[in-house]
Structures are given as structure tokens and as C-alpha cells.
Amino acid sequence: MKKIKVLKFGGNSLKTMEDRRNIAEVITKEQEKGYKLILVVSAIGRLGDPYATDTLLRYIKQNELSPRETALISSCGEIISSIVLSSYLNHRGLKSSALTGASAGIVTSNDYLDAEIISIDKRNMEELINQGIIPIIAGFQGYTYTGDTTLLSRGGSDVTAAAIAQTFQACQLDIYTDVPGIMTTDPQIINSAQTLKTLNYDQALKIAASGGKVIHPEAIKWAKKSNIPIKIKKLSSSQGTVIAGTITNRSLPPGSIICLTTNVMDDKRGKVTIIGHSLNKNKDLHRYILYYNMNIHSFSFFSDKIELIIPIQIVNKYVEVFHKNFIESIK
């Protein structure tokens, strides 16, 4: 079998006819390079869009449903996406077939709303690929040994794609999203945030686990198992962030700050996480934190990250301060 590449498309990459046309062009180019493809899709759009997961949940009172029933209705968005895209691609002459998590062979634990992938029976997908048909998998879902539908955690379509990539020993996982890659901070906070071109698995995992919302942490773990490179990018750009095991920290000088992430702790407190390389050697940063009047509630110092708990209303302000003084100033 030729080299397999897994392509995952986020919900905002599927919303319009132009988006789907762009996806078809991506697929055509990848096929021309000789790749066999497997696609994974998220539900179309966000809250308010007709088939987004959160929109579907608005039609019901969740306290009246069992976890099993909640999983069933929540799985519909991704299934709709897979059928919409498959229909469009077939109309364009690109043979494809929509699969649910169950028909893709994704077996999970029994936790209906926070399941973990146990195994993947790849025979259905493999048969389609051998027939020249592109499998389009509904992400975020699987099934139990007893046949019940389950959901992975939020952002679980990334996990679906990475687990499939690991199962097939794919040469690469491409994740198409609405941002140009993993960035130095949230571009909604700082419009001068920059795209990080390369990260190793450990760096990317720290960012994802600390509040970076671009990729699910479990997806990185799946890719790391078989050293599968991940590229995160927008449909409209060939640039992006590459995550791979061959990228080392040695290219970063000690004390370098890679990025800043934020988390809401509660209605009064937020967390800013500074992620970098050998941060214990960045004396300027330490002095800034310890002596500048930042109204810090608490902080934790580690070699590769520093966590600050501060009043929630000033989180964005201090992200801006750190970004300007310790990232923008050295780029």
C-alpha cells in the first residue's frame, strides 16, 4: 500500500461551499503526490450553527437524558459533516465514503461522555482505501464492545485522527483549523501573536495541556507513539506549525520563552502559563515576576514552565506585557 496521510478538518473548515471546494483541491494535490488519504471531520461550525455539537445540545434538557442518549445526539454533528463532505467529493469525482466511529472500527471504554480509545479495527477503512475510496470518518466518537455510541473528550476529533494515523503508521497527520498553527499566544488577546514554525512533541504537549486550544493533548501522545509528524495549518495557507520528534531544544538558547497560555480558574482567578526552555536560567524574567507589582496570588516555577495565578480581570493585560517584553522583543 502507498504511503497514507491522515487529514483532519475542523468544523470551521467545512462551513461553506468555498471551504469544501478548498478541501477538494487539497485532496487532489495530495493524491497527485501519490498519497492514500483518510479524512477525519468535526461537526460543522460553532454554537449557533445548525449542526454544531453545542447547538444540538440546546434542543434538549440534558438533565432529562441519560449519558447514553446524550452521547447519541452529540455524535450527530460529526456524522452530518462526514456525509456532507463525502457527497460533495463524490460529486467532484473524488470517490469517498462516510463512516461513523463505529463503522470505522473505533472501540472505546464504556464512559459515554469521556471515553478513551481502546483499539481500532482498521479493516473497513483498509478495504475502502484498497478500492480507491477515501474514508471520511466522523470524529469525536466510537463504540463500546456492547455496541453503544460513546464520545471522546471535547476536541476529540483530533484524537480520532491521531489514533487512526498511529494505527495505519501514516507518514503524516495534517490538521486543518481556523488559525495558522500553534501561536506564541492567543491571537484573540494579542493580534501580534506569531506562528511557531516547529515544536517537538513534548513542547507541543506542554502548550496543549496548559490551555493551548489548537490541538488536543491526547492527539500529540498518539502521534508520539509512532513518531508521526503533525502539521497544523489553515486551508488557505501552506504554512503552519510542524510537530515532530526530530525537533530538539538545542536550537533554543537557555531561558527562551516559547509561548504564553491562559486558563480560567474560577470567576475571580485566571492562570497565565509561561512555557519555554530552561526558564530557570532566565534571570530577567524571574526579576520581572518577583519584583514587578503584578498582584500575583501564587506562582510555581519549573524548568520548562512558570504558572502564575492572578486576578482574572488583568490576565490579558499581563499576557500582553510578557509577550511584548519576552517574545516580541527577541524575535
Side-chain angles (χ1 to χ4, degrees):
M1 184 179 289
K2 291 183 179 179
K3 286 185 175 181
I4 289 177
K5 184 180 281 192
V6 178
L7 311 180
K8 185 262 177 176
F9 295 97
N12 281 341
S13 299
L14 293 159
K15 288 179 70 172
T16 67
M17 188 64 72
E18 182 180 358
D19 292 332
R20 296 190 279 277
R21 186 162 51 246
N22 289 336
I23 289 174
E25 290 174 0
V26 167
I27 290 168
T28 299
K29 289 177 182 177
E30 296 291 359
Q31 289 181 329
E32 288 172 350
K33 295 174 185 176
Y35 293 114
K36 297 288 188 180
L37 301 176
I38 300 172
L39 275 54
V40 176
V41 292
S42 298
I44 295 173
R46 303 269 192 247
L47 177 63
D49 294 309
Y51 305 115
T53 300
D54 287 326
T55 304
L56 292 171
L57 290 174
R58 278 193 165 184
Y59 290 110
I60 61 172
K61 293 180 179 179
Q62 291 188 55
N63 60 357
E64 295 179 358
L65 290 186
S66 68
R68 176 180 172 275
E69 292 168 327
T70 302
L72 277 172
I73 191 171
S74 300
S75 69
C76 293
E78 280 74 17
I79 295 171
I80 291 167
S81 291
S82 65
I83 294 170
V84 167
L85 183 57
S86 178
S87 175
Y88 178 80
L89 294 180
N90 282 318
H91 180 72
R92 291 279 300 254
L94 296 166
K95 293 181 180 179
S96 62
S97 179
L99 299 177
T100 65
S103 57
I106 300 172
V107 180
T108 75
S109 63
N110 294 325
D111 305 296
Y112 288 111
L113 304 180
D114 192 18
E116 294 183 359
I117 295 174
I118 295 172
S119 64
I120 298 179
D121 182 346
K122 65 181 182 178
R123 286 176 294 180
N124 281 353
M125 290 184 281
E126 203 163 48
E127 185 176 344
L128 290 171
I129 293 169
N130 289 335
Q131 294 174 18
I133 299 171
I134 302 169
I136 304 180
I137 318 304
F140 180 49
Q141 63 186 256
Y143 76 116
T144 67
Y145 286 118
T146 56
D148 284 328
T149 297
T150 56
L151 301 181
L152 311 180
S153 60
R154 279 304 178 97
S157 293
D158 290 350
V159 183
T160 302
I164 290 172
Q166 197 272 338
T167 298
F168 278 89
Q169 295 295 290
C171 62
Q172 187 166 308
L173 166 60
D174 288 351
I175 295 179
Y176 289 88
T177 184
D178 53 359
V179 293
I182 296 176
M183 308 189 75
T184 50
T185 196
D186 186 341
Q188 294 183 350
I189 298 176
I190 307 295
N191 58 19
S192 57
Q194 302 156 46
T195 304
L196 296 163
K197 294 181 180 179
T198 59
L199 292 167
N200 62 39
Y201 294 117
D202 292 336
Q203 291 167 341
L205 186 56
K206 287 183 181 73
I207 294 169
S210 298
K213 302 175 181 66
V214 179
I215 183 172
H216 196 293
E218 289 299 317
I220 300 168
K221 293 178 184 178
W222 276 101
K224 184 179 179 180
K225 288 180 183 180
S226 295
N227 201 28
I228 296 169
I230 303 171
K231 187 165 187 179
I232 303 171
K233 55 186 172 180
K234 295 180 73 169
L235 265 176
S236 57
S237 175
S238 60
Q239 303 300 313
T241 301
V242 174
I243 304 169
T246 55
I247 299 162
T248 69
N249 275 325
R250 282 177 289 184
S251 60
L252 293 171
S256 295
I257 295 176
I258 299 172
C259 79
L260 304 158
T261 64
T262 63
N263 275 302
V264 175
M265 304 294 291
D266 51 41
D267 59 353
K268 294 183 179 180
R269 301 175 304 150
K271 179 166 70 174
V272 175
T273 303
I274 303 167
I275 298 169
H277 170 50
S278 298
L279 292 179
N280 54 311
K281 297 184 179 180
N282 191 327
K283 303 305 180 185
D284 289 338
L285 176 62
H286 287 204
R287 281 192 290 268
Y288 197 91
I289 292 170
L290 293 172
Y291 299 115
Y292 189 77
N293 182 20
M294 297 179 61
N295 197 13
I296 297 173
H297 290 180
S298 64
F299 55 82
S300 302
F301 283 79
F302 306 92
S303 176
D304 54 7
K305 68 178 180 179
I306 299 172
E307 296 176 341
L308 307 173
I309 309 300
I310 58 179
I312 195 166
Q313 67 269 20
I314 60 172
V315 164
N316 288 4
K317 173 185 175 182
Y318 283 105
V319 168
E320 182 178 353
V321 168
F322 283 124
H323 196 274
K324 180 178 181 181
N325 287 288
F326 294 100
I327 293 181
E328 292 179 41
S329 63
I330 60 172
K331 293 292 182 182

